Amino acid sequence: MTANPDELSASEIARAVVGHRTTALSVTEAALARIARHDSTLNSFTDVTADRARLRAKAIDASIAAGTDVGPLAGVPFAVKNLFDVQGISTRAGSKINRDLKPSPRDATLIERMEAAGAVLVGALNMGEYAYDFTGENVHDGPSRNPHDVTRMTGGSSGGSGAAVGGRLVPLALGSDTNGSIRVPSSFCGVFGLKPTYGRLSRARTFPFVASFDHLGPFARSAGDLALAYDAMQGPDAADAACSTRAVEPVSALLTQDIGGLRIAVAGGYFQKNVFPEAVEAVARVTTALGVTRTVEIPEAARARAAAYVISTTEGASLHLDRLRQRRNDFDPAVRDRLLAGAMVPAPLVDRAQKFRRWYRSQVLELFRSVDVIIAPATPCVAPKLGQATFMLDGVELPVRANIGIHTQPISFIGLPVVALPVPLQPMPIGVQIIAAPWREDIVLRVAHALERMGVATAPRPGEF
């Protein structure tokens, strides 16, 4: 294997390991060395599982030597947001309070499935406290830093996941997305991220935020790697009550199918407001490449975002009430105050939000009777500066933290599958959402792959950091 290890894709690593051109142990050591060399700057990792990774890599190499098929991710290093249970580590979920928990006795289901496919876990990643965050600025562990400009945010709450993949520390990472926490870091850090359909991937043995919104999914530097990880993690799981019983539906083999017959539209109205010029440019590059001429209006998207806020803050408050009563001073004050506000939302307002949610879902699903794909911005802007409190949207000064997810929340609100793909503008990349009907991950990944082959969507290499 002569290529620079940090430039190899997950699929290239796996082929090299299986083809005896390198070993899983060599790949693992190279990843651990990159983490040791660069993560003091990026601050993407909170735990590095070096001993475990080496043992796992040696076992893979022994299996390959014995002629055993070790899976499509043979020897591929990956890391997970620290709300995933990792055996032997306390699941901190970005918090101070959870550090007092006993070490987890077992890995999360998705870690088990990734390793069953041959991948090697190298650590756990920085995140916003209890996943209630869009910036990636953790008050306990410090902010994760953007690999394209370390003075800027990674986005959150899966900020460490975006930084680790965008910074070439690992080729794959796992994160969670409640209101945009995979898509926002993907946009800011210039990588591909998949938020699958709600219920598609198991959440068993992960720390929740909003049970009715929480999704788990992968980050990668290519659509192909995203599909490989997604395929490895599919399948029913009785340990997650929300996990679908649908059979595994692999998508990797479908990526090269022609997309010419797909009906593609760009989201108008709400999704063309509250955007900086760079978001407009990114969407224009994608729609031009795809020859999109149709615009569709997603009805009441602004109200959907408002309802998502109501449900998020009330479900989150309910989850954390005991911690708020007993250890309120150990919370990030910004997170604590939003949770306390959620605890005081009147029940009739929550009921109205849930009723609206059902209506809104029916209206959006009706749109997908006449279109297959909807294109929309992932974030209103490129990554803001660390510590930046406000920005101007449509001439109004607004809080950054509350408004980064302005275009992601109306989509996660009803659990649609989305790929956030990176458009490499200068000096910073920005993401675009590729959205489809439930269970059509194959479509969003095919479109992402096509745009990657056209050179429109690429994960840019960061400079020195």
Side-chain angles (χ1 to χ4, degrees), residues 443-456:
I443 289 179
V444 294
L445 285 161
R446 283 168 55 203
V447 172
H449 182 67
L451 287 163
E452 188 178 13
R453 289 196 297 174
M454 295 175 195
V456 175

Side-chain angles (χ1 to χ4, degrees), residues 7-72:
E7 285 302 307
L8 292 177
S9 68
S11 58
E12 289 169 336
I13 289 170
R15 287 195 297 269
V17 169
V18 171
H20 303 283
R21 297 192 301 278
T22 189
T23 64
L25 183 59
S26 294
V27 172
T28 298
E29 292 290 5
L32 293 172
R34 289 195 299 277
I35 294 165
R37 186 164 63 250
H38 296 303
D39 200 56
S40 58
T41 300
L42 294 181
N43 197 35
S44 59
F45 279 80
T46 53
D47 305 271
V48 177
T49 55
D51 291 342
R52 167 182 169 149
R54 291 183 176 109
L55 286 172
R56 171 70 182 149
K58 290 175 183 177
I60 291 168
D61 289 334
S63 294
I64 291 172
T68 303
D69 181 1
V70 296

Side-chain angles (χ1 to χ4, degrees), residues 84-97:
F84 286 72
D85 285 2
V86 176
Q87 186 176 25
I89 296 175
S90 298
T91 306
R92 68 176 75 185
S95 72
K96 177 179 179 182
I97 296 169

